[in-house]
């Protein structure tokens, strides 16, 4: 058997971040943070933005549920952000078509709750009506009542950013003072007709016909209506998720402009006027960090920087070991392999894309491509046992070719347990102290290549 040669990992060409640390803990313990996760439908998710940033930036644990890897999803359109970058407004910018999708999603959720069509239409019209758009100048001063418009001929591609002195949209009722508008734009839920308390003013009674519980979807994606006391409602209003999200919607309108030259006989030219309209987002979408079972247990057991809750109760290490083993029958095998490679400095990720258990990265996915695809097997001292995925020569050859085409190497990781170890001994994670690891790299032997190398020698 030929000895396996170590190949250096392939570094990515473009790296836009700096390497911080392999684990989400500091050596001195100054920046230690206890993060929180929840079990939802047999998945472990992290919802706190600070915890998400801590776990991913310092260890690359998990992936965003709406992103490819790094949890940075935003509803804002990048092309529109660059187009309106002179406006200096820190709000998501989306198209009118995309905003209508959010309205339709909110409408479907309300209809599922048993509301009639007239009530749904009235609720959405009140909630998504235009709001006053505050603009910020370059020096940070606020332009009250200014609108952000972009005008240009319909036959030309060049457009110029300008500011109008009028309002972007139709103004709110006159009896609504400026203080309420400012508080509403800043996200104060007390002035929100849906998630806020009931308004005493007569002009806001129609908006408060439906309680906050019936509009839970307006503050959270997929949230169902729940009955709760007034104290729970107040606590929910104080939370960040209950605060309304404001977006800027790019809308177009055609208008006619008379030329300045009087000899043009009053001919008018049609121009397209694009403007940003501030509205509430009726269907919010949140980016969560989803952890694999191996990653979640490693953060709890090995690092002690994560607490996993099921409902309102935190689960112990033994309970997690039991629950994860029931959810995933081969969890013990895959976690032992994950724990071993993490301890060696690798960053293991789920290898489902390449038909394996794990992918091993040096430093992390932003810096290097994966070097190895790992298949983990639990065997006894004689390398015998009920294999999780017995490989035939044909299956092994196909898997090896798939791995080689992706510039990776196939590794078989054998977790060797003592012959006297029983299932009762493996009911706790302490059994890993008696486990030995044997790695085997599978390479494809090419006869022509070997012959050429021998001839050169």
């Amino acid at each position: 058997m030929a000895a396996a040669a170590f190949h250096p990992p392939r570094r990515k060409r473009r790296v836009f971040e700096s390497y911080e640390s392999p684990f989400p803990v500091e050596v001195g313990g100054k920046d230690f943070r206890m993060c929180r996760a929840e079990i939802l439908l047999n998945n472990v998710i992290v919802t706190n933005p600070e915890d998400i940033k801590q776990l991913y930036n310092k260890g690359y644990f998990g992936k965003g549920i709406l992103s490819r890897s790094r949890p940075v999803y935003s509803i804002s359109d990048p092309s529109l952000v660059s187009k309106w970058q002179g406006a200096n407004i820190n709000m998501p910018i989306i198209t009118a078509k995309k905003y209508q999708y959010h309205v339709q999603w909110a409408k479907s959720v309300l209809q599922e709750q048993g509301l009639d069509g007239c009530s749904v239409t009235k609720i959405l019209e009140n909630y998504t009506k235009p709001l006053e758009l505050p603009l910020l100048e370059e020096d940070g001063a606020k332009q009250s009542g200014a609108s952000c418009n972009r005008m240009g001929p319909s036959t030309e591609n060049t457009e110029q950013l300008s500011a109008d002195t009028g309002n972007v949209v139709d103004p709110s009722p006159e009896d609504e003072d400026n203080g309420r508008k400012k508080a509403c734009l800043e996200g104060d839920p007390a002035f929100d007709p849906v998630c806020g308390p009931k308004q005493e003013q007569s002009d806001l009674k129609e908006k408060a016909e439906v309680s906050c519980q019936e509009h839970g979807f307006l503050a959270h994606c997929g949230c169902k209506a729940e009955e709760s006391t007034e104290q729970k409602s107040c606590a929910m209003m104080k939370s960040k998720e209950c605060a309304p999200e404001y977006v800027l919607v790019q809308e177009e309108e055609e208008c006619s402009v008379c030329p300045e030259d009087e000899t043009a006989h009053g001919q008018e030219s049609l121009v397209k006027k694009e403007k940003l309209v501030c509205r509430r987002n009726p269907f919010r979408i949140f980016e969560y960090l989803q952890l694999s079972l191996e990653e979640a247990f490693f953060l709890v057991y090995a690092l002690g920087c994560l607490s996993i809750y099921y409902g309102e109760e935190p689960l112990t290490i033994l309970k997690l070991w039991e629950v994860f083993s029931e959810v995933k029958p081969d969890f013990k095998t895959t976690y032992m392999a994950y724990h071993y490679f993490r301890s060696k400095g690798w960053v293991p990720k789920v290898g489902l894309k390449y038909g394996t258990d794990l992918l091993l990265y040096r430093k992390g996915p932003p810096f290097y491509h994966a070097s190895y695809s790992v298949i983990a097997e639990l065997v006894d001292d004689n390398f015998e046992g009920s294999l999780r995925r017995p490989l035939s020569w044909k299956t092994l050859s196909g898997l090896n070719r798939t791995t080689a085409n992706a510039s990776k190497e196939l590794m078989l990781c054998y977790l060797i347990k003592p012959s006297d170890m029983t299932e009762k001994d493996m009911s706790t994670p302490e059994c890993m102290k008696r486990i030995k690891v044997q790695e085997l790299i599978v390479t494809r032997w090419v006869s022509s290549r070997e012959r050429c190398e021998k001839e050169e020698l």
Side-chain angles (χ1 to χ4, degrees), residues 259-380:
E260 297 179 358
D261 189 5
E262 297 179 357
T263 62
H265 302 290
Q267 293 181 356
E268 297 180 351
S269 59
L270 294 178
V271 296
K272 273 189 177 181
K273 182 180 179 182
E274 295 179 346
K275 60 181 180 179
L276 293 180
V277 182
C278 182
R279 299 178 185 271
R280 296 185 187 92
N281 184 11
F283 193 88
R284 298 188 64 179
I285 301 177
F286 294 94
E287 173 75 296
Y288 294 152
L289 184 71
Q290 182 176 357
L291 300 172
S292 66
L293 300 183
E294 293 80 10
E295 290 173 329
F297 193 82
F298 183 83
L299 292 170
V300 176
Y301 174 70
L303 300 182
C305 62
L306 181 70
S307 297
I308 301 179
Y309 286 75
Y310 183 73
E312 298 296 332
E313 179 184 0
L315 301 181
T316 62
I317 293 177
L318 294 179
K319 187 63 176 180
L320 287 174
W321 183 264
E322 178 184 353
V323 171
F324 289 170
S325 300
E326 294 178 357
V327 174
K328 187 177 180 181
D330 55 352
F331 167 76
K332 298 176 181 178
T333 303
T334 55
Y335 175 74
M336 291 178 187
Y338 181 93
H339 189 104
Y340 172 77
F341 289 114
R342 262 290 182 179
S343 302
K344 294 295 183 181
W346 293 94
V347 178
K349 305 295 288 187
V350 178
L352 183 62
K353 182 188 299 184
Y354 299 99
T356 57
D357 298 322
L358 299 173
L359 294 176
L360 300 185
Y361 292 86
R362 182 176 182 241
K363 284 190 173 181
F367 305 98
Y368 292 91
H369 295 278
S371 301
Y372 300 98
S373 296
V374 182
I375 295 179
E377 293 288 356
L378 183 63
V379 296
D380 56 11

Side-chain angles (χ1 to χ4, degrees), residues 132-272:
E132 183 181 357
L133 174 63
L135 278 183
L136 296 178
E137 296 178 350
E138 294 182 358
D139 57 354
K142 182 177 179 181
Q143 300 177 1
S144 60
S147 66
C148 193
N149 297 329
R150 190 182 286 266
M151 298 180 60
S154 57
T155 58
E156 298 180 1
N157 294 328
T158 59
E159 296 174 335
Q160 183 178 1
L161 182 65
S162 62
D164 234 351
T165 56
N167 290 333
V168 176
V169 293
D170 295 334
S172 53
E174 296 180 356
D175 56 340
E176 200 170 15
D177 56 355
N178 295 329
R180 183 179 294 114
K181 293 180 183 178
K182 181 178 179 181
C184 186
L185 286 174
E186 292 177 353
D188 188 357
F191 295 93
D192 183 33
V194 176
C195 285
K198 295 182 179 180
Q199 305 293 330
E200 297 179 357
Q201 289 78 1
S202 59
D203 57 343
L204 295 179
K205 286 183 178 180
E206 294 182 356
K207 303 176 184 178
E209 290 179 355
V210 183
S211 62
C212 179
Q213 290 80 7
E214 294 176 346
H215 291 277
F217 80 98
L218 292 172
H220 191 281
C221 172
C223 182
K224 299 293 183 179
E226 296 179 358
E227 294 183 359
S228 58
T229 61
E230 295 180 358
Q231 295 179 354
K232 292 183 179 180
S233 299
C234 295
M236 182 185 297
M237 288 187 295
K238 293 180 181 179
S239 65
K240 182 179 180 180
E241 293 185 354
C242 187
E245 180 185 30
Y246 298 94
V247 296
L248 298 177
V249 185
Q250 177 179 281
E251 299 180 358
E252 295 183 357
E253 61 179 1
E254 292 185 357
C255 59
S256 59
V257 178
C258 296
E260 297 179 358
D261 189 5
E262 297 179 357
T263 62
H265 302 290
Q267 293 181 356
E268 297 180 351
S269 59
L270 294 178
V271 296
K272 273 189 177 181

